[in-house]
Structures are given as structure tokens and as C-alpha cells.
Amino acid sequence: MAEPASLFVRSRCVGTAAVIYASDYLNKLSGERIERECKRQLECGCQTLVIDFRGTELVNSIGVSILLGVIDVAEKSGAQLIFSDVNTETIQLFEMLGLTRHVALAKDEDEALTLLNEFAAPPQSFGH
Amino acid sequence: MELPTQKLVHTFGALADLGQEITDSSDVSEMVRTSLHLLLGALGIRGGAILEHMADGQVLKLVAARGIDEGFPEPLHIDDAARVALLNAGLSALSPERLTTDKPDLCALLEECKNAAGTFGIQLFVPMVVRGELVGAVLLGGKATGESFTGEECDIIFSMVRHIGVGIHTHRLLEQLEQRAEENRRLYEDLRTIYRQTVRAFAAAIDIKDKYTQGHSERVGKYSEIIAREMGWAEEEVEGIAIAGYLHDIGKLVVERDIINAPYRIDAKQSSELNRHPAAGFEILSPIHHPYTDIPLMAKYHHERLDGRGYPDGLTDKQIPLGAKIVSLADSFDAMTTDRPYKTRRSLEDVIVDFRFNTGKQFDCEVVIAFCRALLKEINGESKERRILKMLGKNYVEAEKIIPLLSELISELDCIQISSAASSV
Ligand SMILES: [Fe+2]
């Protein structure tokens, strides 16, 4: 039975943006909840998704696959996607695997939200 | 960290996680889903699917998918030629975008696959072949970098696909084993049911021969079962003793009907003829392979007595199997509480007096205690079942008289047991 994603994944809405906290869900099958939460936010009219990695020490292959799923969902609904507070090692991994070609990076959640308004259509990297 | 090294560490981690997932997971669908994540995440592939080759051999069914358009899940049909072509291709990267003439048997399948995936671009189609058997296939989309797969990356993909194939294959074998074990269990259960039904039919045949004791064998079976359960026997043993009770008088089938049905006390000669029945029962039951132990012995010794005055072998206390002691008490109780051709049944008070008098001589103390306890529980309502009372019929048991008699006998026999146990230490 599908469980309500919001019960398990912490998220908050700021205007038309939603911040979703990756925490330590990402690296297991349960990380699919993050993808479901992103879908739910997009269906509720959210136009920008910020995935915050402050509680995420390491991203493994399952985590990468789930984030690729989030990228897919965001692109299909024309929403902007920002990853915030990603550590250096993980950024290198995302660059190596091509994720950074599809998302913008922000130093932290505040920066992501402050710079939201400055966003132009094509995503660009900033903050790192 | 240098890029190639970091890539190597990341891929190695994915391979290690995949190995663990395949070994540890008991849920095949979760295993397949996780494996697909690991494969896609290892190389940053934007989507893909795992198809399983179904047992009937005609279809490839989608068992996990990421990023592929909805609507794919129709099974893909494969003909024999395509199946053979996939087996021959083995672990290799086939490209639906570059349909070549060197594998004409696969063109239709790859085309169907491409169409089923909709706008999702399939870059690689990798057959999963394990020990010469087609287990399924993996479809992969493009990389998030937009670059083509390198030869090195294809090797990583093959290695992971092989792992996934082995995982699915192993789960399939386990499922088949479980299915066979379940079939065997059902077959065994059916055989036991047939055996029990046959035994009951035999019991009815025995009782038909004796027109005055109809239902005797069945009642002895039930009383024996109740006693054994009260004594804490395992359920399997309880079933066995019930069978022994049903069959205890099977030897009567070889005794002349006139002697069994004599409406008077039989003479010594007739009595010795009748007394052949336990040994005859043993002869009848011994060649049969029973699913329970000692059934023939319980039939043979159900007329033995603790004091050695029973038959056929005049055994004493410890020489008599406990099962035979149980059947013996059940048999005597039924004989005393049912009408016979030459006498009407005795009152339950009388029967309890008989028990008190004959415990240690004819009956085993522990067995008598167990039977009295079971009867008492039914009378005072402690037990919800009324199996003994039902067999005794209405208006036979006067609760207010019987309860104190039974309680008294139980505590008296308990004391005897405790003191005999103490003296034997
Ligand atoms: Fe008998």
C-alpha cells in the first residue's frame, strides 16, 4: 500500500517553491519517497524544487538513481530544480555522472530561496 | 580525489551493494527494483527497465522500470527465433537504434521494444543469460552526461546485468523448490486424510461385526485421544493414539461372529478364541506402514494388565507400552459405560469405584488421573468441549455426585504417584 510521502519526508513550502530535505532516505529503496514527495509538490502547483542535502553525508548509486528520477519529474513538468548544501565530494560525483547538467547548485537553502527570483529559464550553477 | 578513481570507487560501491542485495533480499520484486537503481545510479543512466523472461517462454514481462513512459508494461512477445538469437547474443549490448542485418531475428523484438518505450530513448538492450537459459533482458536509456557508453562502461553494465540475472534465476529456483515442497506437503496431508478415513472405515467394519457394541472402536479412539492430550502428548502422537484406539479390536475380524455376538457369558473355549484377537490384530496391522509409531503394539497389548494377569503375553507394568495402557483404559471405560448383551451399563459412580480398585492392578495410575481430569474439566465446565459427555449421552452424569468423587480420586492417586516417585529416587 502506498504511504503518504509527507509522513516520512520533511519538506516545507516557500511561496511557489518547495524545499525537500534529502536526509538519509536517499540511499535506500525508501528514497523513492523523496521522488513521490517531489511529484506531490509539483501536482500542488509548486514551480521550483529545492532538495537540501545538509543531512546527507554521502550519496550512493541508489541515491543517484532517485535524483535522476527527480530530475526527470521536474523536467517533465517544467519546474526548476536546485540542490542545496551539497558537500564537495558529492558535487564531484554529480558532475562526473552528469547530474549538474540538469540542476542548479546553491550553497545552502537560504541562498537557493534568495536567488529563486533571479532564475532565468536555462538552469545555471551558482554558489559553488 | 581524481575523477577516474572516484568513478571506480562509486562503481565498486554499486557492485558491492548489488551483491549484498541479491544475497540478502527475500523479496524478488524489491531486489529487482533496487538492482535497477544501482545499475542506473552507478553510471548516471537516466532510465531503464528490467524484463523477465516468463516460464511459458513466449513473453518478456516488465518487472522494474525507471523513467520509461507509462504504458510500457505490456509483455513483449518473443518467438523462438528471437529467443535463440538472444541466447546466442548472450551478454552483449544490442542497440535498437541501429538495427543491423546481422541479427535479423531480433529486429522485430527490438522494434516492438522501442515502440513500447514511447518517447524514452532506449540506447542499449542487454540480454540476461544465465547457465544457457534466457532469464530476461535489461533496457537502458542514455547517460545524464549525454555522452555515449564507453567500452569500459559496457563491461560494468554486463557485470551488473549478470549479477541481476543470477539473482532472478536463483529466486526462481527457490520458488520452484518451495512450490514442490508445498505440493509434497499437500500430497502428504491428502495421504494422511485417506489413511484416517480408511482407518475409520475399518473401525466401522469391526463394530458392525459386533451388533451390541456399535461405535465402540470409534469411542475408544476418541477416549484415547482425549487421555493422551490431557497427558500433554504432542499432536502427532495424539493422532497416532486415536488411530490405535480405532483399530485396537481389528483382530476381532478373524473371530467367529457367534462368539462375539453371544447373548450370554461365553465359556472357556469361546473365551480363549475371543482372546486371540489382540495377537491377530497385531498380525493384521504389522505389515502396514503406518504414519504413526507402535500402532500394532498398542492393538496387541490392549488387554494386558499391570499385575501380569492380562493377555496375550502376561506382561507387567513397565513392559506394557504407555499407548497400550491408554487404549486399555479407554476400552474398559467404554465397556463399562455401554450396554452389553448380558448386562446393562454401570453407573458412573460405580465406574469410578472400579477405577479406584483397579488402578495399579489393571490400569496405570497416570492414565487414570489424566482421564479423570479430562472428565472433571468437562463436567465442571472448565473445558468448552463436551466430547466425553456427548459419548456418554444425556442424563447419565449426575454432576453433583460425580465431581467430588472424581476430585477425591484424582488427589488420592496424585498422592500415590508422588510417594511412588519419591521411593523410586
Ligand atoms: Fe479388545
Side-chain angles (χ1 to χ4, degrees):
Chain A
M1 198 172 70
E3 61 246 322
S6 54
L7 270 182
F8 297 93
V9 178
R10 200 159 69 87
S11 63
R12 71 182 183 110
C13 286
V14 184
T16 57
V19 184
I20 291 135
Y21 300 90
S23 186
D24 56 355
Y25 292 115
L26 206 53
N27 297 328
K28 298 176 284 240
L29 204 53
S30 56
E32 287 178 351
R33 289 170 189 159
I34 291 177
E35 203 176 328
R36 288 200 289 271
E37 175 64 5
C38 289
K39 272 188 194 163
R40 193 183 71 83
Q41 294 287 358
L42 292 170
E43 278 160 15
C44 292
C46 164
Q47 288 161 16
T48 306
L49 291 174
V50 177
I51 312 262
D52 188 80
F53 287 80
R54 83 179 62 157
T56 313
E57 206 46 49
L58 190 127
V59 177
N60 70 6
S61 290
I62 298 180
V64 170
S65 171
I66 286 161
L67 292 172
L68 286 167
V70 172
I71 290 172
D72 194 42
V73 167
E75 281 182 2
K76 276 178 185 159
S77 57
Q80 192 67 52
L81 185 57
I82 306 171
F83 289 174
S84 65
D85 221 336
V86 190
N87 65 37
T88 317
E89 292 258 306
T90 307
I91 289 175
Q92 279 181 5
L93 180 74
F94 287 173
E95 278 169 355
M96 183 181 79
L97 296 172
L99 275 72
T100 44
R101 295 180 185 215
H102 306 272
V103 296
L105 296 174
K107 194 175 69 182
D108 53 31
E109 184 187 338
D110 287 341
E111 187 185 76
L113 293 171
T114 312
L115 295 172
L116 264 182
N117 296 332
E118 296 172 20
F119 252 143
Q124 49 185 307
S125 181
F126 53 90
H128 280 280
Chain B
M1 200 185 285
E2 287 294 311
L3 258 186
T5 314
Q6 195 186 14
K7 197 167 184 177
L8 210 64
V9 169
H10 178 69
T11 312
F12 186 75
L15 271 166
D17 287 349
L18 183 63
Q20 196 169 7
E21 179 63 28
I22 286 166
T23 324
D24 294 353
S25 176
S26 57
D27 181 334
V28 68
S29 73
E30 263 194 23
M31 184 272 281
V32 172
R33 263 167 67 211
T34 307
S35 299
L36 183 60
H37 275 304
L38 288 166
L39 174 57
L40 301 180
L43 299 172
I45 304 169
R46 294 204 59 181
I50 296 176
L51 306 170
E52 190 180 347
H53 182 227
M54 302 316 282
D56 68 1
Q58 299 298 311
V59 292
L60 287 171
K61 190 182 154 216
L62 189 90
V63 285
R66 298 275 305 156
I68 283 189
D69 287 356
E70 285 164 21
F72 186 91
E74 289 308 313
L76 292 175
H77 294 273
I78 54 166
D79 55 23
D80 284 346
R83 197 172 53 80
V84 172
L86 285 176
L87 278 171
N88 289 337
L91 273 171
S92 60
L94 308 170
S95 170
E97 298 303 324
R98 294 193 298 274
L99 297 174
T100 52
T101 47
D102 65 325
K103 292 186 178 65
D105 292 331
L106 289 176
C107 285
L109 173 68
L110 295 183
E111 191 64 37
E112 193 184 349
C113 198
K114 208 172 75 179
N115 294 339
T119 55
F120 181 85
I122 295 171
Q123 294 210 354
L124 295 178
F125 182 105
V126 186
M128 264 194 291
V129 178
V130 178
R131 292 194 196 116
E133 197 182 310
L134 181 65
V135 175
V138 173
L139 309 181
L140 295 173
K143 292 188 333 187
T145 56
E147 294 156 2
S148 307
F149 289 102
T150 63
E152 196 184 41
E153 285 170 336
C154 281
D155 286 341
I156 292 167
I157 291 169
F158 297 157
S159 169
M160 295 184 85
V161 169
R162 190 184 292 124
H163 268 71
I164 299 168
V166 168
I168 294 176
H169 191 258
T170 308
H171 271 280
R172 231 187 235 177
L173 288 179
L174 282 176
E175 260 173 25
Q176 282 170 1
L177 273 179
E178 275 166 21
Q179 215 174 330
R180 267 181 219 154
E182 176 62 18
E183 276 166 20
N184 282 345
R185 198 193 59 74
R186 262 189 229 147
L187 199 64
Y188 178 65
E189 218 22 75
D190 286 351
L191 282 175
R192 277 166 81 115
T193 306
I194 292 168
Y195 173 83
R196 282 195 288 261
Q197 284 167 350
T198 310
V199 164
R200 289 181 80 137
F202 259 106
I206 301 160
D207 292 345
I208 279 170
K209 198 166 180 187
D210 185 343
K211 67 177 178 184
Y212 295 105
T213 58
Q214 276 192 5
H216 170 68
S217 299
E218 180 149 0
R219 287 192 299 275
V220 172
K222 286 177 179 166
Y223 288 137
S224 302
E225 184 188 327
I226 292 165
I227 298 168
R229 192 168 282 126
E230 182 65 35
M231 289 173 83
W233 283 26
E235 210 42 43
E236 174 93 6
E237 296 170 317
V238 171
E239 275 180 32
I241 194 84
I243 299 291
Y246 282 122
L247 295 176
H248 76 286
D249 267 348
I250 195 165
K252 280 188 180 170
L253 291 174
V254 300
V255 176
E256 273 181 45
R257 189 183 282 263
D258 292 347
I259 295 176
I260 296 172
N261 286 326
Y264 47 80
R265 279 192 187 277
I266 49 176
D267 62 27
K269 195 178 160 213
Q270 289 169 322
S271 180
S272 90
E273 169 68 12
L274 183 62
N275 291 357
R276 275 178 53 220
H277 81 271
F282 180 76
E283 297 298 319
I284 294 169
L285 293 172
S286 290
I288 302 168
H289 179 74
H290 302 271
Y292 311 98
T293 50
D294 295 343
I295 305 270
L297 279 180
M298 295 189 214
K300 185 175 184 180
Y301 295 134
H302 77 273
H303 283 295
E304 294 290 357
R305 295 168 52 102
L306 269 61
D307 57 13
R309 290 171 51 226
Y311 60 93
D313 291 347
L315 301 181
T316 54
D317 191 2
K318 297 269 186 303
Q319 296 171 310
I320 308 169
L322 185 55
K325 290 174 176 174
I326 292 174
V327 176
S328 167
L329 183 76
D331 185 27
S332 301
F333 180 77
D334 189 61
M336 290 189 272
T337 55
T338 47
D339 293 333
R340 293 283 153 136
Y342 42 84
K343 63 177 179 190
T344 53
R345 69 173 171 176
R346 294 162 68 174
S347 70
L348 195 51
E349 294 97 302
D350 246 15
V351 174
I352 295 169
V353 170
D354 188 284
F355 275 4
R356 168 175 277 128
F357 182 76
N358 281 311
T359 299
K361 298 187 184 93
Q362 183 180 354
F363 306 126
D364 181 272
C365 187
E366 193 191 346
V367 175
V368 175
I369 293 173
F371 186 67
C372 292
R373 281 218 175 99
L375 179 56
L376 184 62
K377 281 181 195 170
E378 285 198 15
I379 299 173
N380 66 19
E382 200 182 317
S383 155
K384 278 181 189 153
E385 281 193 318
R386 297 273 189 278
R387 298 183 69 195
I388 304 175
L389 297 180
K390 233 182 217 172
M391 285 187 273
L392 292 173
K394 276 184 189 166
N395 307 322
Y396 178 68
V397 179
E398 293 177 73
E400 61 283 2
K401 274 190 198 166
I402 299 302
I403 290 175
L405 284 175
L406 279 174
S407 311
E408 205 178 305
L409 180 58
I410 291 167
S411 45
E412 198 178 302
L413 295 179
D414 269 341
C415 288
I416 293 172
Q417 264 218 313
I418 291 164
S419 62
S420 77
S423 64
S424 68
V425 170

